[in-house]
Amino acid sequence: MRVLLIEDDRMVGAAVEQALRDAAYAVDWVEDGETAIHAAENEAYEVALLDLGLPLAGGREVLRQLRSSGRKLPVIIVTARDGVDDRINGLDLGADDYLVKPFEIRELLARMRAVLRREGSGSPALLSNGTLHLDPATREAWFHGEASLLTAREFALLYGAVGAAGHDPVAQRVGTANLRLERRSREQCDRIPDPYHPQETWRHSDPQCARRRLDGGPLVMTKSLRARLFVGLTAVILLAGCLGGVFTYLWAFDEAIEMQDSVLVQIGSLMQNGGLKSDQSLRGVDADAEVDVTELGTAPHGSAEERRLWSLQDGLHVASRTGQSARVLLRTRPDGSRFAVTQLTDVRDDIASSMALRTLLPIAALIPCLLLVAALVVAGSLRPMVRLAGDLDLRRADDTTPLLLADTPSELHPFIASINRLLERMKLMLDQQRRFIADAAHELRTPITALGLQAENLDPADLPEQARERLGALKEGMRRTKHLLEQLLVLARHEAGPNGEATVVPLDRNVKELVADLVPDASRKGIDLGFQLIESIATKGEPVMIATMIRNLLDNAVRFTPQGGRVDIGIYREGNEAVVKIEDTGPGIPSGDIDRIFEPFFRGSRPAEMVPDWASRS
C-alpha cells in the first residue's frame, strides 16, 4: 500500500518513513507543498499524511487544492497545532482525520487503518481465508490455532496470499522503491529586511500580523473623524451664510426702497419751494431711475389718470401711471397748484434688487475663507492624534513603554490612559511567557541530559547496523533539542531586557573561538572553513547575543554547504562599522523565505541535496 508523506521536518519525516516501511508500506516522502500537490495529481496513493507548516504552499492550501480537484485521496493531518479551531478548520477543509504531534506510531497506523476502512480500500480488522488468520494491527498470524509474530516481509507475503481477489497487495507493498521528491534550490535574491528597524517595519509588513494604524486600519479613524468635523462645520457655515444672506438681502432691499422714497420726497421739496422747474432736468438723479415730474395745475384736468392723481391727498401713494404700477408723491404749492413726482414700481424693484445683491458679495467671499479656517482648525486639533498614531507605528513590537500625557489635549487623556493600561497588561503577559520559556527550558535540560548520557552509553554495545543508524538519528535529535533549549534560554534572557550596559566585545577573538568549535563538523563534510580576511577589531554590545548570532550564521553555513564546499569568513572595518562577512558555496536562502528568516525558530525550506547520512534512502 502506497503512502504519501508530506513533512518538512527531516527528523520527523525520517522517523515516520522508517516506521511505515517497517509496517510494510511503500512511502513517497516530499518536503514542500508544491511538490506534494504535483505528486498527488500524478501518482496513485491510498492515504496521505499531511503536515500544515510547509514551505512554498501551506498544508491547508495543499488540502484545498486536493479537494477542489475532486481527488478522494484520504488525508490525515499530522501537525503540532493542537488548537480546537485548527482541528475544526482542518476537518472542514476536507481532512479525514487529525493527529497532533507528538504521537506514537501505533496510533498513526491505527488511524490509517481506520481511515482506509471508512474509504473501503483498507484491510478489515482481521484477514482470513478460512485456515490462516492475519491481524494487521499486530502483524500476528494464526494457523490451526497457533499464533506467530511475523516480520514485515513475512506479513506482506502472507497478506498477499490472503488478500481480496483482484487486489495484489504484494506488488504494492513489497519491493517498491521509495520515491524522494524535493524542490530545487533557488538562489538568494533581494536583501533581508530588519524587522526591528522602524523604517523597515513601516515598509515591510509582517505577514502574520499586518501592521496597522491606531484604529486597526490605515488612517481610517483619523480621516473619518476629520471628515465628520469638517462636514459638520461646513454645513453650519453654509446654513448660517444662507440664512444671513436671505435676511441681509431682505433688509437691503427694504432699505433701497426707502432710499428711493427719500429721493422722491427731496425732489418734491425742491419743486414745492420753486428751486426746480418742471422743464429742468433732475440733476443728481440717475437717468435709469426714471423719475418723472407731472404738473397737475390748480384744478383737475387732462387724462383720467391725472384727474385721479388730483383727487389723492399730498404724500406718497401707489397709483397707476401709463398703465403701470408706480410710486407717486403729491405736493401742493402755496399758489394752489399741484404736481406729482412718479417712479415705476418695476424700476424701483430692479434698483433695490441690484443694491441688495451687492451687499451679499462680502458674505459670499467670507464663506470660503471660513471653510478654509475650519479645515485648518480641524487638522490642527487632530494633529496630536495623528502624531500619537505615528509614534505607536514606529515602536518595536515588544516596546510596552507607557505613552506620555504631556503636550496632548485633555480630550485624549482617557484614550491614552486606556492604551497605557493595555500596554501594561501586554507587558505582564510577555513577562509571563518569557518566564515560562525560561523555566521550561531549564526543566527540560535534566531529562535531555539523561537521554544523551544513556545514548552515549550505547556506543560500546554490539548493535546491528540498522540499530546503529537509528541510534545516530536519536543522538542527532537530542543534539538538536539541546541546541533548541539553549536558544530558548538565550532568547528569554535577551527579551527580558539588556543585561546592564553594553561592553566592548573583541570580534576577531570571539569569531576565532566559534570557528574552532565548528572545525570538527566542517572536517567531517570536507568543508574548507577558514578566514579570508581578519582584522583586530572590537565593538560594543551584549557578548552573549553577538556570539549567538555569529554562531547561528556559521552553523547554518557549515550545515547547508555541500560536501567539499567552502566557507570563507571576513572580519574587517568599514568606516565606523565592524563587518562580519560569511560566504559559502551553499544554495543560499530561497526568495520565498527572505521575509521570514528573522522569525524565531523559523526553519524555512531546505535544499534537496542536504540529506543527512542517517536519513539516506535505499
Side-chain angles (χ1 to χ4, degrees), residues 128-146:
S128 175
N129 62 357
T131 305
L132 179 64
H133 306 278
L134 295 178
D135 186 352
T138 61
R139 290 212 307 265
E140 288 182 301
W142 287 269
F143 185 71
H144 295 301
E146 295 184 5

Side-chain angles (χ1 to χ4, degrees), residues 219-371:
L219 291 175
V220 172
M221 184 182 72
T222 304
K223 284 186 176 179
S224 63
L225 182 57
R226 181 186 292 114
R228 287 198 295 269
L229 289 175
F230 183 72
V231 169
L233 290 176
T234 300
V236 171
I237 292 173
L238 291 178
L239 180 61
C242 292
L243 292 177
V246 170
F247 286 115
T248 300
Y249 178 85
L250 296 176
W251 174 80
F253 186 87
D254 291 340
E255 290 293 323
I257 294 296
E258 291 180 2
M259 184 182 68
Q260 293 181 89
D261 287 343
S262 298
V263 171
L264 295 180
V265 171
Q266 292 177 6
I267 294 174
S269 299
L270 291 174
M271 294 290 296
Q272 188 176 13
N273 296 327
L276 182 67
K277 296 182 179 181
S278 60
D279 58 349
Q280 294 179 341
S281 61
L282 299 176
R283 296 179 180 177
V285 179
D286 193 350
D288 293 336
E290 299 184 13
V291 178
D292 296 327
V293 178
T294 304
E295 292 291 341
L296 301 178
T298 56
H301 67 280
S303 63
E305 290 183 350
E306 292 179 352
R307 288 194 297 272
R308 193 177 302 112
L309 290 176
W310 176 268
S311 63
L312 297 176
Q313 297 181 355
D314 288 355
L316 290 169
H317 302 277
V318 177
S320 177
R321 187 67 173 164
T322 64
Q324 299 180 15
S325 176
R327 187 72 164 168
V328 179
L329 173 66
L330 293 175
R331 284 288 188 266
T332 303
R333 298 188 181 95
D335 58 0
S337 63
R338 303 188 71 186
F339 64 90
V341 182
T342 62
Q343 186 179 25
L344 295 178
T345 302
D346 292 340
V347 175
R348 289 165 56 87
D349 290 343
D350 289 342
I351 294 174
S353 298
S354 178
M355 296 178 64
L357 287 175
R358 283 195 292 270
T359 62
L360 297 181
L361 294 179
I363 297 178
L366 183 61
I367 288 178
C369 297
L370 291 177
L371 293 178

